[in-house]
Amino acid sequence: MIVRTRFAPSPTGYMHVGNLRTALYAYLLARKHGGTFILRIEDTDQEREVAGAVDIIYSTLRQTGLLWDEGPDKGGPCGPYVQSERKPIYRQHADMLVDGGHAYYCFCDKERLDLMRKRQEAEGKQPKYDGHCRTLPRVEREKLIAAGKPWVIRQRIPDGGTTTFKDEVFGEITVENDTLDDNVLLKSDGLPTYNFANVVDDHLMGISHVIRGMEYLSSSPKYNLLYTAFGWDIPKYVHCPPVMRDAQRKLSKRDGDASYQDFIDKGYLNEAVMNYLALLGWSPGTDREKFTLAELAEVFDITGISKSPAIFDPVKLAWLNGEYLRALTPEEFTAKALPFIKQAVKREDVAFSTIAAVLHQRTEKLSDIPPQLDFIDTLPDYSPEMFIHKKSKTTFESSLASLKAAREALDTIPEGGWDHATLHAALMGLVEKLGVKNAIVLWPVRVALSGKEFTPGGGIEIAHIIGRNETLSRLERGISLLEGAIRKQ
RNA sequence: GACCCCUUCGUCUAGUGGUCAGGACGCUGGCCUCUCACGUCGGUAACGGGGGUUCGAAUCCCCCAGGGGUCGCCA
């Protein structure tokens, strides 16, 4: 079987991660079977046009690696791939339906429709087109058209009976035809509704698997009726459950973290986001959790898609992102971290590579970086109490001695020799010389250099990062703080 | 409200009549350690409820409850 899948977004101006996941699945299925992945723009709602929205679709798909084989910019045998450019095709197909008795012209205006719905609601019935124009004679119809009366074309749902369709994730579903509405197929502006365009285009473009959100599940019987009316083969339907914010609400753009770009801006890696999305509502059937896009394409299978909505867990995404960050080489990590480091560090005379090194194993997302670095440019005010660390048994006195010894040892290192290895040798040598535990020396040094309880990296790294002058002056500051504290005792 | 769909640890999930119900995140205890993290070893926690079918049900059937979706000249 030739697999042809499509991603058919409407240009809304941002890429919702739920949509992106649907695109991912469509892409993976195509790649898995050596098939074709198609991009189609569904811009039939002229009122919702957003400038630049199509570019966001392009750039996001490129960034994520979901490269399409046919599309508006690439062309292909089934173009055009923009629905607003396919207008004549829909008209032609709508007429075919009308000729076959599967659709009809409707001249009802908004006022009548509103009134009708209001009445039906008042009577406690479900709003549904009342079939007013269903039986309009052909001559009457021509007369109204000639008179310039606006019209739409509606689908004629068969009276009575049932329609059954099969979904690859939900199985067989049967509904009573009477619960289905005579929906508009062709709007008065001549453009098709989604209900019509998706059927015509999916068939004309040879789509084998229609992968889309679950919100279309309940309209699928109508689409089936359309395929049948045309005498077309019915594609395989794959409806994906929604991505939720919590048990009640869908993840929405209003929450500010539903768009792909939001995650990238916060310092999540593309690879981590895509990996996480793949596993949200789909399982490979094994315990494996880390996949590249290419690896996903190998193992992807429709049967792994789950039936129930999945809650998006930012905490787990962050963990996965950390995994990806940690797997980077030091050079790669430095390149990605540098812009975030510079948000917090304005000084230029610091050891950036050491900052990155010290951050590497401590960063889940890049936006976590700046707050960790707030002590580098300027030493915060801190209390001498911080020198006392119970577990390491440091005291004011021991800390004062350590700081003085450290000052003496480091003072002998020239500016040019101020590197990590030298500092390490000097401070560890001090530990050995004094015959004490590492912490007796290193705890107070780290506190004096950072003024903080927790820091990325230890005293040696921080000394290297902030440089000789700053190190010596901060040690000085620590010494006087401690002397003051001891005097007060 | 009507119609359709869904329901395993807090979360993502594995599981398709016989498992101590597995993994991951989180939380938590130990180890490592100059702090925090990383790493590592352990712990915690689930089959929505009720009826059946069966020697035996998370797995099959029915009912209920809860949740979701749809009911537009939006997609």
Side-chain angles (χ1 to χ4, degrees):
Chain A
M1 164 178 214
I2 296 171
V3 173
R4 285 172 65 84
T5 64
R6 108 263 118 140
F7 176 49
S10 55
T12 56
Y14 74 104
M15 183 70 78
H16 189 283
V17 290
N19 281 117
L20 187 55
R21 189 192 59 169
T22 308
L24 210 212
Y25 291 170
Y27 170 86
L28 293 176
L29 191 71
R31 290 291 169 268
K32 166 77 180 273
H33 296 100
T36 305
F37 177 56
I38 296 159
L39 175 62
R40 182 172 78 218
I41 304 297
E42 308 222 327
D43 59 344
T44 56
D45 186 357
Q46 295 182 310
E47 288 175 22
R48 279 215 273 184
E49 284 256 1
V50 178
V54 176
D55 291 328
I56 290 175
I57 293 169
Y58 286 154
S59 68
T60 307
L61 292 182
R62 287 201 187 100
Q63 252 187 89
T64 55
L66 305 185
L67 303 178
W68 56 103
D69 305 304
E70 297 172 24
D73 58 331
K74 294 201 78 169
C78 307
Y81 292 88
V82 178
Q83 289 187 330
S84 59
E85 295 170 18
R86 297 170 65 80
K87 211 169 160 181
I89 298 173
Y90 306 119
R91 175 69 199 272
Q92 182 195 335
H93 283 84
D95 284 337
M96 285 166 61
L97 252 19
V98 173
D99 290 344
H102 300 291
Y104 58 93
Y105 282 71
C106 171
F107 297 89
C108 296
D109 55 27
K110 194 173 179 306
E111 288 66 40
R112 199 190 96 75
L113 260 17
D114 285 346
L115 194 68
M116 176 194 79
R117 286 192 192 109
K118 218 170 277 175
R119 250 183 227 151
Q120 288 167 333
E121 245 166 81
E123 288 170 38
K125 287 195 281 193
Q126 64 162 325
K128 196 176 152 188
Y129 183 64
D130 58 6
H132 182 76
C133 297
R134 263 194 167 207
T135 53
L136 199 68
R138 193 189 180 96
V139 280
E140 203 62 31
R141 183 224 292 176
E142 297 305 329
K143 218 184 283 176
L144 286 167
I145 292 174
K149 178 111 169 128
W151 52 268
V152 300
I153 290 179
R154 283 184 187 274
Q155 177 175 9
R156 186 192 302 273
I157 301 289
D159 294 318
T162 61
T163 298
T164 298
F165 72 101
K166 187 183 174 220
D167 181 89
E168 297 300 310
V169 353
F170 292 98
E172 220 164 69
I173 295 169
T174 300
V175 298
E176 301 277 339
N177 288 337
D178 289 341
T179 65
L180 271 20
D181 200 2
D182 281 6
N183 284 134
V184 171
L185 264 21
L186 208 65
K187 301 186 276 189
S188 55
D189 63 4
L191 285 166
T193 60
Y194 172 85
N195 296 320
F196 189 47
N198 93 82
V199 170
V200 172
D201 287 344
D202 283 342
H203 174 260
L204 260 27
M205 294 181 180
I207 302 302
S208 62
H209 300 255
V210 172
I211 303 173
R212 51 155 77 119
M214 234 194 67
E215 63 267 31
Y216 298 109
L217 191 65
S218 47
S219 342
S220 292
K222 287 182 280 198
Y223 308 150
N224 244 34
L225 254 12
L226 251 20
Y227 281 104
T228 310
F230 278 120
W232 293 341
D233 286 341
I234 293 163
K236 289 192 186 300
Y237 294 117
V238 182
H239 287 97
C240 306
V243 175
M244 309 292 285
R245 155 161 224 76
D246 54 45
Q248 275 78 4
R249 290 175 298 165
K250 269 206 223 185
L251 200 62
S252 80
K253 60 182 164 188
R254 287 210 57 191
D255 297 313
D257 51 6
S259 113
Y260 172 79
Q261 196 56 46
D262 288 344
F263 287 101
I264 299 304
D265 292 344
K266 282 185 205 154
Y268 288 93
L269 266 27
N270 168 67
E271 292 76 6
V273 174
M274 296 307 277
N275 192 156
Y276 178 72
L277 246 28
L279 261 25
L280 189 62
W282 173 78
S283 164
T286 63
D287 286 342
R288 186 171 169 192
E289 295 202 285
K290 291 178 73 181
F291 295 91
T292 64
L293 193 59
E295 287 164 346
L296 283 170
E298 278 176 44
V299 299
F300 187 75
D301 194 284
I302 293 173
T303 57
I305 298 176
S306 73
K307 293 173 154 78
S308 39
I311 298 173
F312 190 101
D313 182 4
V315 176
K316 184 149 187 181
L317 203 214
W319 165 77
L320 226 204
N321 200 61
E323 290 282 302
Y324 275 86
L325 244 20
R326 277 173 235 122
L328 257 28
T329 64
E331 293 73 26
E332 290 168 335
F333 179 79
T334 303
K336 289 188 189 297
L338 209 51
F340 291 86
I341 293 174
K342 295 208 165 173
Q343 281 177 26
V345 179
K346 302 302 176 194
R347 284 177 55 188
E348 287 295 331
D349 60 335
V350 293
F352 284 108
S353 61
T354 301
I355 296 181
V358 118
L359 249 17
H360 199 165
Q361 302 303 113
R362 280 170 250 260
T363 305
E364 283 207 316
K365 50 183 193 291
L366 297 170
S367 59
D368 293 341
I369 289 177
Q372 296 190 76
L373 266 24
D374 57 3
F375 64 93
I376 291 182
D377 278 0
T378 55
L379 179 68
D381 283 332
Y382 65 98
S383 152
E385 302 296 324
M386 217 182 267
F387 284 105
I388 296 176
H389 189 241
K390 254 195 179 160
K391 203 177 153 200
S392 305
K393 299 198 172 74
T394 61
T395 62
F396 286 156
E397 289 75 13
S398 77
S399 296
L400 180 60
S402 294
L403 255 31
K404 283 181 168 171
R407 176 182 59 182
E408 199 175 314
L410 297 181
D411 198 31
T412 64
I413 302 173
E415 182 75 48
W418 197 265
D419 55 59
H420 189 271
T422 308
L423 291 167
H424 187 270
L427 259 8
M428 294 311 282
L430 199 57
V431 167
E432 204 172 326
K433 192 179 118 193
L434 299 176
V436 294
K437 295 259 199 185
N438 292 357
I440 296 293
V441 170
L442 292 166
W443 172 271
V445 167
R446 197 187 57 78
V447 169
L449 298 187
S450 67
K452 291 185 74 173
E453 199 179 354
F454 314 123
T455 54
I460 296 169
E461 286 88 358
I462 295 171
H464 182 223
I465 289 167
I466 64 178
R468 187 177 193 277
N469 285 346
E470 194 64 22
T471 297
L472 261 17
S473 87
R474 289 187 187 189
L475 286 177
E476 210 61 60
R477 165 92 182 124
I479 289 167
S480 62
L481 257 183
L482 278 168
E483 286 173 342
I486 290 170
R487 239 177 282 122
K488 265 188 235 164
Q489 277 180 331

